[in-house]
């Protein structure tokens, strides 16, 4: 049986935010961007391992259901059309039991 372990790393989230801001001709100072990342990870990363795993994400969404408002397939399709440099990268480890 294979189990996929996926998580969000702070650097990956930062790259996504910077790409979206760049495509929108918006710029945030590094201090503000780091504050956003720090707040997000302090709210979600309750294991304090500098990544957000599926369980931590699920808990964050449970506490803040509005996070899913814009995560529908039509919306995400529009995002990738409007922001061509917005590309998803993920690291996947497979564990065999």
């Amino acid at each position: 049986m294979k189990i996929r372990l996926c998580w969000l790393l702070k650097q990956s989230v930062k790259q996504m935010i910077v790409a979206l801001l760049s495509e929108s001709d918006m710029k945030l100072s590094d201090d503000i961007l780091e504050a956003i990342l720090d707040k997000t990870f302090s709210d979600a990363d309750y294991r304090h391992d500098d990544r957000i795993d599926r369980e931590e994400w699920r808990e964050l969404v449970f506490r803040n259901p509005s996070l899913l408002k814009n995560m529908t397939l039509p919306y995400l399709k529009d995002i990738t059309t409007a922001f061509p440099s917005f590309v998803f990268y993920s690291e996947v480890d497979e564990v065999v039991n």
Side-chain angles (χ1 to χ4, degrees), residues 40-82:
T40 301
F41 274 75
S42 73
D43 288 351
D45 181 22
Y46 59 81
R47 289 189 178 95
H48 307 289
D49 56 4
D50 294 324
R51 61 186 184 192
I52 300 170
D53 64 28
R54 286 182 189 197
E55 185 178 320
E56 290 169 323
W57 175 252
R58 186 174 24 248
E59 290 294 322
L60 180 66
V61 170
F62 183 75
R63 291 189 317 267
N64 304 282
S66 64
L67 289 172
L68 296 180
K69 177 181 175 187
N70 296 325
M71 292 189 180
T72 62
L73 289 177
Y75 182 82
L76 292 174
K77 181 180 174 187
D78 290 344
I79 287 281
T80 57
T81 301

Side-chain angles (χ1 to χ4, degrees), residues 5-8 12 87-93:
L5 303 174
C6 300
W7 54 84
L8 296 170
S12 300
V87 177
F88 292 100
Y89 294 100
S90 66
E91 294 180 26
V92 177
D93 289 343

